[in-house]
């Protein structure tokens, strides 16, 4: 990460590392914690709950998986940050629950920048059309845009994510400082295109023995 940051002309520490611990054991997280890591990402609430309960309270848990609306309250209880808000309907639901719970979670809007059938997320034009409504959701702190682009030509799609964020900033009036992009296989490209937080699992913890 330090090499990728310096070759992109970015200051060290400008890009955060989210350690994606889904499918890995509580002990693996504890080991990374002992080494100083504090941000961890999980994609399923049920899998995360025992880890959250067992590990130190100064860990900051980020939710990165598909989020069913009926899990929203539980997810908000453990996760101050959600990277996978993939529809206006979900954003509005989270806003309502957050208001009821007296919370203001930080969120990223997940965009399907390459228009892939197999993936969720806002279509770019849909995201821009929702800008005003999103800006009115007072119980969410919208940080920016998240994407999981195709492996092929990933740098181009990271650039497209940044450009979409810039457009959304103009249309919404929100500051949108954040870009959640880059995983084990492509974080260097993501950092070169302005990522502010990379979500890295297998490069830190080793290969997952089963898919998440
Ligand atoms: C699993 C996952 C990651 C981490 O993937 P690695 O290839 O193991 O680094 C990042 N983001 C999301 C949304 C994931 O589900």
């Amino acid at each position: 990460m330090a090499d990728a940051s310096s070759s992109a002309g970015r200051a060290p520490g400008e890009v955060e590392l989210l350690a994606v611990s889904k499918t890995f054991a509580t002990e693996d997280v504890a080991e990374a914690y002992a080494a100083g890591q504090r941000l961890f990402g999980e994609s399923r609430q049920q899998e995360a709950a025992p880890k959250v309960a067992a590990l130190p309270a100064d860990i900051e848990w980020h939710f990165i998986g598909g989020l069913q609306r009926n899990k929203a309250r539980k997810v908000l209880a453990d996760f101050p940050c959600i990277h996978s808000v993939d529809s206006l309907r979900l954003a509005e639901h989270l806003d309502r629950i957050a208001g009821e719970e007296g919370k203001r979670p930080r969120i990223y809007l997940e965009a399907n920048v390459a228009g892939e059938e197999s993936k969720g997320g806002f279509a770019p034009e849909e995201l821009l059309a929702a800008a005003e409504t999103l800006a009115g959701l007072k119980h969410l702190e919208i940080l920016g845009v998240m994407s999981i682009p195709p492996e092929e030509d990933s740098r181009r799609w990271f650039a497209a994510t940044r450009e979409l964020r810039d457009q959304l900033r103009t249309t919404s009036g929100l500051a949108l400082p954040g870009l959640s992009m880059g995983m084990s296989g492509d974080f260097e490209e993501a950092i070169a295109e302005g990522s502010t937080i990379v979500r890295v699992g297998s490069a830190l913890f080793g290969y997952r023995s089963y898919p998440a």
Side-chain angles (χ1 to χ4, degrees):
M1 277 181 69
D3 289 350
S5 293
S6 77
S7 51
R10 304 185 59 193
E14 218 180 284
V15 187
E16 290 188 297
L17 170 63
L18 181 67
V20 175
S21 51
K22 67 179 184 198
T23 79
F24 294 104
T26 301
E27 299 77 68
D28 297 321
V29 181
E31 211 174 294
Y33 177 89
Q37 179 65 27
R38 291 295 178 271
L39 307 185
F40 290 92
E42 288 280 334
S43 57
R44 292 174 60 232
Q45 185 272 328
Q46 266 169 305
E47 182 195 332
K51 298 183 197 175
V52 175
L55 289 158
D58 65 335
I59 287 182
E60 187 177 289
W61 295 96
H62 290 210
F63 194 81
I64 61 169
L67 175 47
Q68 291 161 314
R69 277 174 299 137
N70 61 9
K71 290 273 172 65
R73 211 175 291 273
K74 281 188 173 167
V75 166
L76 287 181
D78 286 339
F79 296 88
C81 186
I82 302 174
H83 292 237
S84 44
V85 178
D86 59 2
S87 70
L88 182 57
R89 199 161 168 233
L90 177 60
E92 290 178 321
H93 182 72
L94 286 171
D95 181 67
R96 185 169 66 74
I97 305 290
E100 287 172 14
E101 301 282 342
K103 298 191 147 126
R104 193 160 182 265
R106 287 172 285 140
I107 68 145
Y108 295 87
L109 301 158
E110 180 176 351
N112 187 349
V113 282
E116 294 171 280
E117 295 275 346
S118 60
K119 287 182 188 161
F122 285 87
E125 60 281 5
E126 186 191 8
L127 186 58
L128 295 173
E132 259 185 68
T133 312
L134 289 164
L137 301 177
K138 297 302 177 204
H139 306 292
L140 301 181
E141 183 181 352
I142 303 179
L143 291 183
V145 178
M146 178 273 224
S147 70
I148 313 172
E151 282 169 36
E152 184 110 341
D153 220 359
S154 61
R155 181 156 179 175
R156 170 186 161 210
W157 297 114
F158 290 136
T161 308
R162 173 172 40 75
E163 284 156 17
L164 178 62
R165 185 278 307 268
D166 293 348
Q167 283 180 283
L168 184 64
R169 179 189 276 159
T170 307
T171 47
S172 68
L174 296 167
L176 305 180
L179 281 173
S180 169
M181 50 188 204
M183 309 186 4
S184 292
D186 55 16
F187 66 87
E188 287 105 334
E189 289 84 354
I191 289 172
E193 293 299 341
S195 173
T196 59
I197 183 165
V198 293
R199 310 176 310 272
V200 177
S202 46
L204 291 171
F205 293 108
Y207 286 103
R208 278 182 289 274
S209 48
Y210 59 95

